[in-house]
């Protein structure tokens, strides 16, 4: 592994790790707010227990997300100094606002986690909402900075100089809305299905069924609605990518030759040597329709793009297939959930609960795959059509060791977090099964 | 607006050193507390910093964002030449932040606690040590654009007696801040006495490492004494720090907790003021004298203006919320166990 590949891998690892914690940290507070609201309204102790149990998960995820986010803000420079010394002043605006949003989130989380029985109960509830809203704002702002790399705006690039910088129009670049919408929905879908799945598993195991059934119902509503809306946002994104980054679209669809009435490829193994795709299923004209809204429209293939500007086709194509495949499965699951609202007997069926257990990791796999599409599909550029990733990397040799080290750190952290969550879930009966109203130990 | 941004840069560095530093210091104290008292210390500490520790570390994010938005060349220069100490500091930040939360949110309290604790106090020591090394290296003039070998560019830019001395000085300072802070967090006379003792040890350590820093500066031809004593403001700041330290030691046994905390914070402010003033506008001192300054190496005015407004707007939201957080969770509201 050379240092350039190591730097890219370390960045991918750090982002891939952070995104999971960031998603959960920005979505779970909304689940908590619903449970908390029900507790305050109905005085049903189960809802308070759910809120408390979730808030412990949020504390663990938030802390891990906060430190991995801090690491990323340094890694941007540590790994890509050639990028940051130009890009910082242009796309820094969302980061400076995100600093505020993140700060408010941390303050509100302090109030929320430690505010039980100390604050006015509705103020306490409100601080939970603030955690969610500011978390969501942070997420949107950071995605807007990433969108700028795909759709550079707010400066002119003349003879290698970046002039006429306008940080506001850089923030509201052409891709910010489609990317932010897609990511926000993805966060809700992934977290909703993951949380619902864990509670479904507990119901299957016949543990604290009342507790877990109520928790399941709150989480799944968020997940299911987001999953159903996601195809619409995916369509907006696809059209946006077609317009702005034809090379990325061609790689996503492994479209080697420019075609009219281009087919949508399902599956298949692209071969960059022979410019063909083996073992594929074709839906005639569908790609033209999805990209341009017209079954016969011409779609730009990789042949129209200079070879040195091609993104890696295989990785981008596979990642795209995984994302769309999982997305479709979650749509199906969402529909099954909404049907179950009519057919109440399904709730007790094993197959029904098992479907949701299967979905625990799927949303997050789709999120990771989606980021692979965005990031790998933008290569070889770090700022699309302006600066090459290879020209931005740090001159420091030996990054490969740093990559190994971070791999070990993040793998062990992941293991510990899973271990902690297991222990939290196993402790649910001990902490929350008291029938009397005495308060369970907070820690 | 330029000066607004510079003010925020120094303010966030200062607040990170004082608040984040007290937080690191809490771990350092735990490291130097005997086994039999560790649990009590830990409990006081959790009560004291549990609700606020995340917020204390946000100042680092603000600092780094200001650096890369407004002073991208300075940020890039640090990222390249100080890559290794920054990476070690980051690993410390990861280890410390996660271990602190894990040990409090592990539903089962068993042998895992020992592991979390060990990681927590080790990284509480390492992180400020390397933060200090980075700070020392930025002003030491060891960054050499003409250097050619890996060792000269990426190691000796920060591995020198002066930078390491600054590292230990920062560690002692953090420990001192935390001890002074914790004195006000307990009413138990034994605990108070222990924290006062810790404050004394940390103060001595800070003075010793401070002297060591001056000696290494003199050996390395770094005009540190000149920076601090050579300007009127620097001189006044150092004298003010000295006087406030004396007052602090007079008041420490009986005085109001808030006042002694403010005095400790004031000392750090004065030290940073003396250093910052002497240096301004230089930020990174480079071997051949091509220093990177806050005036010549800033981003365009459009960026500075936008950032300035973002910071000012953010302050309107953050400061009241932050004060209310500190106010609401000061220890008097806690029942004693």
């Amino acid at each position: 592994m050379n240092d350039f590949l190591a730097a890219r891998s370390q960045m991918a690892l750090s982002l891939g790790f952070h995104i999971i914690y960031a998603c959960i940290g920005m979505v779970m507070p909304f689940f908590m707010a619903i449970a908390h609201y029900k507790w305050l309204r109905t005085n049903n102790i189960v809802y308070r227990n759910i809120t408390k149990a979730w808030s412990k998960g949020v504390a663990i995820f938030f802390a891990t997300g906060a430190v991995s986010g801090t690491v990323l803000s340094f890694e941007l420079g540590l790994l890509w100094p050639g990028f940051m010394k130009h890009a910082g002043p242009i796309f820094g605006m969302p980061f400076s606002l995100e600093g505020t949003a993140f700060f408010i989130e941390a303050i509100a989380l302090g109030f929320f986690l430690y505010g039980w029985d100390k604050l006015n109960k509705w103020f306490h509830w409100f601080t939970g909402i603030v955690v969610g809203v500011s978390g969501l704002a942070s997420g949107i702002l950071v995605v807007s900075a990433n969108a700028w790399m795909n759709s550079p705006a707010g400066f002119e690039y003349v003879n290698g100089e970046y002039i006429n910088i306008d940080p506001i129009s850089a923030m509201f670049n052409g891709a910010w809305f489609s990317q932010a919408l897609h990511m926000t929905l993805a966060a809700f879908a992934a977290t909703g299905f993951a949380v619902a799945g864990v509670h479904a598993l507990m119901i299957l195991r016949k543990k604290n069924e009342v507790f877990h059934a109520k928790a399941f119902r709150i989480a799944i509503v968020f997940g299911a609605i987001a999953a159903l809306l996601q195809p619409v946002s995916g369509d907006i994104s696809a059209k946006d990518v077609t317009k702005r980054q034809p090379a990325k679209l061609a790689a996503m669809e492994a479209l080697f030759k420019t075609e009219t009435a281009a087919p949508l490829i399902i599956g298949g193994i692209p071969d960059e040597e022979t410019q063909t795709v083996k073992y594929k299923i074709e839906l005639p004209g569908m790609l033209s329709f999805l990209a341009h809204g017209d079954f016969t429209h011409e779609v730009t293939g990789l042949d129209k793009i200079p070879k040195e500007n091609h993104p890696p086709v295989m990785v981008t194509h596979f990642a795209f297939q995984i994302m769309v495949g999982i997305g479709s499965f979650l749509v199906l699951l969402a529909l099954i959930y909404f049907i179950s609202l009519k057919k109440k007997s399904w709730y007790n069926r094993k197959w029904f609960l098992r479907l949701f257990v299967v979905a625990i990791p799927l949303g997050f796999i789709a999120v990771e795959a989606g980021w692979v599409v965005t990031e790998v599909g933008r290569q070889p550029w770090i700022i699309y059509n302006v600066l090459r990733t290879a020209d931005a990397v740090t001159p420091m040799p030996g990054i490969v060791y740093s990559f190994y080290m971070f791999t070990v750190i993040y793998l062990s952290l992941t293991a510990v977090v899973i271990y902690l969550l297991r222990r939290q879930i196993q402790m649910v009966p001990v902490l929350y099964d008291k029938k009397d109203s005495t308060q369970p130990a907070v820690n | 607006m330029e000066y607004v941004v510079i003010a925020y840069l120094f303010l966030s560095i200062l607040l990170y050193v004082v608040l984040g530093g007290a937080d690191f210091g809490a771990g350092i104290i735990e490291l130097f507390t005997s086994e039999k008292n560790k649990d009590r210390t830990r409990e006081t500490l959790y009560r004291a910093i549990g609700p606020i520790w995340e917020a204390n570390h946000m100042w680092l994010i603000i600092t780094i964002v200001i650096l890369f938005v407004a002073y991208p060349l300075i940020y890039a220069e640090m990222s390249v030449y100080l890559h290794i100490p920054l990476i070690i500091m980051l690993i410390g930040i990861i280890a410390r932040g996660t271990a602190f939360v894990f040990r409090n949110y592990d539903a089962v309290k068993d042998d895992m606690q020992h592991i979390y604790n060990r990681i927590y106090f080790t990284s509480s020591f390492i992180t400020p040590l390397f933060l200090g090394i980075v700070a020392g290296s930025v002003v030491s003039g060891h960054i050499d654009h003409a250097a050619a070998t890996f060792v000269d560019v990426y190691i000796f830019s920060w591995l020198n007696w002066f930078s390491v001395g600054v590292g230990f000085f920062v560690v002692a300072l953090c420990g001192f801040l935390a001890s002074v802070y914790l004195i006000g967090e307990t009413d138990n006379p034994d605990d108070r006495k222990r924290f006062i003792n810790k404050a004394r040890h940390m103060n001595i350590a800070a003075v010793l490492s401070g002297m060591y820093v001056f000696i290494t500066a003199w050996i390395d031809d770094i005009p540190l004494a000149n920076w601090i004593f050579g300007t009127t403001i620097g001189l006044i700041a150092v004298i003010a720090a000295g006087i406030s330290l004396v007052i602090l030691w007079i008041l420490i046994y009986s005085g109001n907790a808030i006042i002694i905390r403010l005095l400790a914070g004031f000392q750090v402010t004065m030290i940073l003021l003396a250093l910052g003033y002497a240096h301004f506008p230089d930020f990174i001192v480079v071997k051949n004298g091509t220093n990177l300054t806050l005036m010549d190496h800033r981003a365009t005015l459009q960026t500075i203006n936008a950032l300035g407004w973002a910071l000012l707007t953010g302050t309107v939201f953050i400061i009241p919320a932050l004060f209310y957080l500190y106010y609401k969770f000061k220890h008097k509201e806690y029942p004693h166990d």
Side-chain angles (χ1 to χ4, degrees):
Chain A
M1 187 183 263
N2 64 34
D3 281 326
F4 176 51
L5 191 60
R8 282 182 57 195
S9 307
Q10 186 179 325
M11 199 67 196
L13 175 80
S14 308
L15 285 165
F17 180 84
H18 178 67
I19 189 69
I20 294 177
Y21 295 88
C23 280
I24 296 173
M26 72 193 205
V27 172
M28 285 283 288
F30 290 101
F31 301 178
M32 285 182 336
I34 299 287
H36 196 177
Y37 179 83
K38 292 202 166 188
W39 149 243
L40 292 176
R41 277 278 173 242
T42 64
N43 248 359
N44 183 341
I45 192 99
V46 175
Y47 284 115
R48 192 184 73 170
N49 292 341
I50 292 174
T51 315
K52 285 203 171 185
W54 276 346
S55 72
K56 286 176 188 168
V58 167
I60 293 170
F61 281 106
F62 182 85
T64 316
V67 291
S68 59
T70 309
V71 170
L72 275 169
S73 67
F74 279 90
E75 275 181 330
L76 283 171
L78 290 173
L79 299 173
W80 314 107
F83 165 65
M84 285 307 283
K85 71 179 172 201
H86 299 302
I90 312 173
F91 85 151
M93 194 61 196
F95 286 112
S96 31
L97 295 173
E98 194 249 352
T100 300
F102 193 29
F103 211 134
I104 291 172
E105 190 181 355
I107 295 172
L109 191 72
F111 276 121
F112 185 80
L113 292 178
Y114 296 86
W116 291 95
D117 308 320
K118 289 195 192 70
L119 302 168
N120 168 296
K121 61 181 182 173
W122 286 107
F123 177 73
H124 184 220
W125 179 80
F126 174 72
T127 59
I129 294 282
V130 175
V131 175
V133 171
S134 50
L136 208 55
S138 298
I140 290 171
L141 287 163
V142 171
V143 171
S144 143
N146 173 268
W148 177 83
M149 295 160 72
N150 289 314
S151 159
F155 67 100
E156 283 169 59
Y157 185 64
V158 182
N159 300 327
E161 299 277 330
Y162 298 72
I163 56 170
N164 291 334
I165 290 168
D166 176 359
I168 307 293
S169 41
M171 182 162 81
F172 295 108
N173 59 76
W176 87 270
F177 176 75
S178 60
Q179 274 195 230
L181 178 68
H182 204 55
M183 184 64 236
T184 305
L185 287 173
F188 274 95
T191 311
F193 276 101
V195 173
V198 170
H199 292 292
L201 181 65
M202 291 297 128
I203 300 170
L204 269 177
R205 292 192 182 159
K206 308 235 175 265
K207 297 223 169 99
N208 304 75
E209 286 176 67
V210 179
F211 177 96
H212 289 296
K214 286 196 186 324
F216 173 84
R217 276 175 215 214
I218 294 172
I220 194 62
V221 172
F222 283 96
I225 293 176
L228 284 180
L229 293 175
Q230 193 64 306
V232 181
S233 129
D235 184 57
I236 298 173
S237 287
K239 291 195 165 61
D240 189 69
V241 169
T242 311
K243 197 168 65 186
R244 243 177 276 284
Q245 295 176 292
K248 185 187 276 182
L249 184 87
M252 278 153 70
E253 272 301 315
L255 188 70
F256 289 107
K257 289 183 193 60
T258 304
E259 281 184 65
T260 52
L264 186 73
I265 296 175
I266 294 177
I269 302 171
D271 183 341
E272 286 176 67
E273 289 291 304
T274 60
Q275 307 266 299
T276 53
V277 184
K278 282 183 204 143
Y279 316 113
K280 63 188 170 183
I281 304 166
E282 289 193 350
L283 304 178
M286 272 310 282
L287 180 59
S288 289
F289 177 72
L290 287 174
H292 296 282
D294 169 0
F295 284 102
T296 56
H297 204 288
E298 183 179 278
V299 180
T300 311
L302 287 164
D303 56 343
K304 286 273 180 72
I305 292 146
K307 184 108 184 135
E308 70 272 17
N309 293 348
H310 282 197
V313 179
M314 177 109 84
V315 175
T316 314
H317 179 66
F318 282 155
F320 182 64
Q321 299 285 318
I322 291 170
M323 177 184 77
V324 174
I326 290 176
S328 312
F329 179 72
L330 294 184
V331 168
L332 184 72
L333 224 53
L335 291 173
I336 290 176
Y337 168 72
F338 283 115
I339 295 169
S340 81
L341 292 177
K342 291 273 173 216
K343 293 189 180 270
K344 300 233 187 255
S345 61
W346 285 10
Y347 262 118
N348 304 320
R349 298 284 158 79
K350 280 198 168 150
W351 65 265
F352 179 81
L353 293 167
R354 275 182 190 148
L355 271 178
F356 289 96
V357 174
V358 169
I360 293 174
L362 290 184
F364 287 106
I365 296 173
V367 167
E368 300 287 359
W371 277 106
V372 169
V373 173
T374 326
E375 294 296 290
V376 177
R378 192 189 58 241
Q379 302 305 321
W381 304 101
I382 190 164
I383 308 174
Y384 186 62
N385 275 347
V386 175
L387 180 68
R388 282 173 186 276
T389 316
D391 297 333
V393 72
T394 176
M396 194 178 103
I399 296 298
V400 75
Y401 300 103
S402 155
F403 168 60
Y404 293 147
M405 202 168 55
F406 273 93
T407 307
V408 172
I409 293 173
Y410 281 147
L411 285 180
S412 9
L413 270 183
T414 308
V416 178
V417 168
I418 292 172
Y419 172 78
L420 284 176
L421 288 181
R422 275 185 63 107
R423 304 236 288 201
Q424 284 286 353
I425 293 165
Q426 282 164 355
M427 288 298 279
V428 163
V430 183
L431 289 174
Y432 302 118
D433 260 7
K434 296 164 188 161
K435 285 279 177 274
D436 61 345
S437 62
T438 53
Q439 191 190 327
V442 178
N443 291 300
Chain B
M1 226 16 127
E2 270 180 87
Y3 290 98
V4 171
V5 172
I6 290 172
Y8 270 97
L9 177 64
F10 282 108
L11 188 70
S12 50
I13 292 174
L14 171 67
L15 288 171
Y16 185 60
V17 173
V18 175
L19 300 171
D23 221 27
F24 288 123
I28 297 169
I29 292 179
E30 195 180 316
L31 175 66
F32 291 114
T33 298
S34 61
E35 274 312 318
K36 70 177 199 311
N37 288 327
K38 264 200 169 79
D39 282 340
R40 283 202 62 78
T41 303
R42 201 171 289 142
E43 191 196 311
T44 314
L45 180 142
Y46 179 72
R47 230 179 29 224
I49 68 176
I52 54 175
W53 83 272
E54 292 275 14
N56 285 345
H57 289 269
M58 293 295 146
W59 296 110
L60 178 65
I61 310 241
I62 306 282
T63 306
I64 210 72
V65 168
I66 295 176
L67 271 185
F68 78 58
V69 175
Y71 309 102
L73 294 173
I74 291 175
Y75 173 77
E77 176 101 352
M78 287 173 72
S79 298
V80 172
Y81 287 93
L82 305 177
H83 190 117
I84 294 169
L86 283 171
I87 284 278
I88 298 174
M89 186 186 98
L90 286 177
I91 292 171
I93 288 175
I94 299 177
R96 183 179 183 284
T98 49
F100 181 75
V101 171
F102 291 172
R103 75 176 186 185
N104 289 305
Y105 283 93
D106 194 338
V108 187
K109 308 283 180 218
D110 58 12
D111 287 349
M112 282 299 283
Q113 290 291 326
H114 294 301
I115 301 174
Y116 302 139
N117 289 338
R118 191 150 298 233
I119 294 176
Y120 173 74
F121 54 65
T122 313
S123 51
S124 291
F125 181 84
I126 287 179
T127 313
L129 175 66
F130 277 84
L131 185 74
I133 289 178
V134 169
S137 309
V138 164
V139 296
S140 71
H142 281 279
I143 290 175
D144 182 3
H145 289 169
T149 66
F150 180 86
V151 177
D152 284 341
V153 180
Y154 300 106
I155 306 280
F156 290 141
S157 53
W158 57 273
L159 190 62
N160 51 67
W161 295 115
F162 173 75
S163 299
V164 174
V166 176
F168 281 106
F169 178 68
V170 172
V171 170
L173 206 59
C174 292
F176 175 65
L177 284 168
S179 325
V180 170
Y181 183 79
L182 288 174
I183 293 168
E185 286 295 319
T186 177
D187 291 334
N188 178 316
D190 285 347
D191 287 344
R192 266 184 81 92
K193 215 156 102 198
R194 222 174 49 245
F195 291 131
I196 291 173
N197 262 330
K198 280 281 172 292
R200 183 178 305 120
H201 296 157
M202 291 296 172
N203 196 340
I204 293 169
V207 170
L208 289 179
S209 54
M211 275 158 48
Y212 169 84
V213 168
F214 271 100
I215 295 166
T216 51
W218 179 68
I219 293 170
D220 260 3
D221 284 335
I222 300 165
L224 181 66
N226 213 8
W227 288 337
I228 292 182
F229 304 115
T231 66
T232 322
I233 300 271
L235 204 57
I236 292 171
V238 173
I239 292 171
I243 293 171
S244 66
L245 186 64
V246 174
I247 300 174
L248 188 147
W249 280 111
I250 295 170
L251 292 180
I252 203 158
Y253 292 98
S254 54
N256 179 306
I258 306 283
I259 292 176
I260 58 171
R261 281 175 198 177
L262 287 177
L263 284 169
F266 178 76
Q267 280 145 32
V268 180
T269 314
M270 286 301 118
I271 294 169
L272 284 182
L273 175 74
L275 274 174
Y277 181 81
H279 256 171
F280 189 83
D282 284 351
F283 198 86
I284 302 186
V285 180
V286 181
K287 196 163 201 165
N288 63 1
T290 52
N291 298 353
L292 278 79
T293 81
L294 292 173
M295 305 310 276
D296 299 339
H297 297 88
R298 63 158 168 77
T300 62
L301 273 180
Q302 286 93 323
T303 302
I304 298 285
N305 287 337
L307 176 64
W309 282 113
L311 291 168
L312 289 169
T313 318
T315 310
V316 175
F317 290 100
I318 290 170
I319 295 302
L322 198 58
F323 269 103
Y324 191 57
L325 183 74
Y326 286 130
Y327 167 77
K328 202 69 202 172
F329 291 105
K330 48 181 215 279
H331 94 285
K332 299 291 178 215
E333 308 233 334
Y334 284 84
H336 278 283
D337 34 353

